[in-house]
Amino acid sequence: MKKFLAFVIAAVMLFTFAVPCVADSLTVGDVNGDTKINTRDVLTLRKYLAGLESDIVSYNADCNTDEKVNTKDVLTLRKYLAGLGQLGTPAIQYDAKITLCDTTANAVGENVEIADSTVTITAAGSYYLSGNLNGNVVVNDTQKLEKVYLYLDGVSVTSQVGAALYVDKADCVVLVPCENTTNVFSDSADDTSTDTNACIYSDDDLTLDGEGVLCVFGNKNNGIVSENDLKIKNGTLWVPAVKNAINEKVIGFLSFRQNYLMGFDSSNDDL
């Protein structure tokens, strides 16, 4: 089983994309993330649409904020630079953008602490994550007043010790895999720690809701465990695990299973 999981992880990683390890600005129109909006952004966007450029800030490239990146955004940006129009206003205002960078990360915004290979979100709000991390993502919102939204844009998090995503304290954490993205969380079969028993582990409420793909590899033990409610609303979920793919406290699981269930470990008798 472990050899199979290792093979599947390698296959999935082929579909994740490396991103530059820079703290990109959260500014619509700043396509190349250099904190300026100018003709270089037009050129970068045109190259991206022609398949000649991959390093763009997708959030910023949606210049007309219709949740798509296409030639309409080039036109909107050119009109803006010529003084003939305005850039769009994003439907989601992120509190921070977090770029995961191998064994560390960079962040623009508020309520994010980075210590070595651990990224900790400390307050409610909306957070945009991209990139690859060999480490851990932790949510520790001690106020527990509002929800924490994690928008996952092609994220890959591989943990050697503990859960890849650990929700310590929060009113509720909502995982939102962005449309047309594959997001991977994986823990280690060699991990000897006993603090958590799943690749994604939550002490509080956890909700899965998005248009993209979420892959969770429970190489050590379980895939996803929430000590409180686990709500599964939308998206494609793939959870191969050594033991249970998912824990019992699930709300709305039957409708999810009918429409979106993929790759659950057949040894999970609780499902």
Side-chain angles (χ1 to χ4, degrees), residues 72-216:
K72 292 181 180 179
D73 296 297
V74 176
L75 180 60
T76 298
L77 184 55
R78 292 182 63 182
K79 285 184 176 180
Y80 171 77
L81 292 172
L84 301 175
Q86 297 295 322
L87 298 173
T89 301
I92 301 171
Q93 297 291 338
Y94 296 110
D95 292 270
K97 181 183 188 297
I98 304 167
T99 303
L100 308 176
C101 308
D102 192 17
T103 57
T104 185
N106 289 300
V108 173
E110 301 177 334
N111 311 320
V112 180
E113 297 178 357
I114 300 169
D116 298 325
S117 60
T118 299
V119 177
T120 303
I121 295 167
T122 61
S126 297
Y127 302 88
Y128 176 96
L129 289 82
S130 63
N132 305 322
L133 177 68
N134 291 307
N136 310 82
V137 176
V138 177
V139 177
N140 185 18
D141 172 20
T142 56
Q143 298 295 319
K144 300 179 68 171
L145 298 177
E146 301 289 343
K147 293 180 180 180
V148 177
Y149 291 86
L150 303 183
Y151 291 85
L152 310 176
D153 189 358
V155 166
S156 175
V157 179
T158 302
S159 170
Q160 299 303 315
V161 179
L165 173 61
Y166 174 38
V167 180
D168 184 11
K169 296 181 180 67
D171 172 61
C172 177
V173 171
V174 183
L175 299 181
V176 187
C178 297
E179 187 175 5
N180 298 322
T181 68
T182 297
N183 303 274
V184 182
F185 289 84
S186 175
D187 61 8
S188 173
D190 299 323
D191 179 18
T192 59
S193 65
T194 58
D195 294 339
T196 59
N197 65 351
C199 179
I200 293 182
Y201 182 87
S202 178
D203 281 325
D204 287 303
D205 292 349
L206 183 66
T207 297
L208 310 179
D209 187 9
E211 299 296 331
V213 178
L214 178 62
C215 301
V216 182

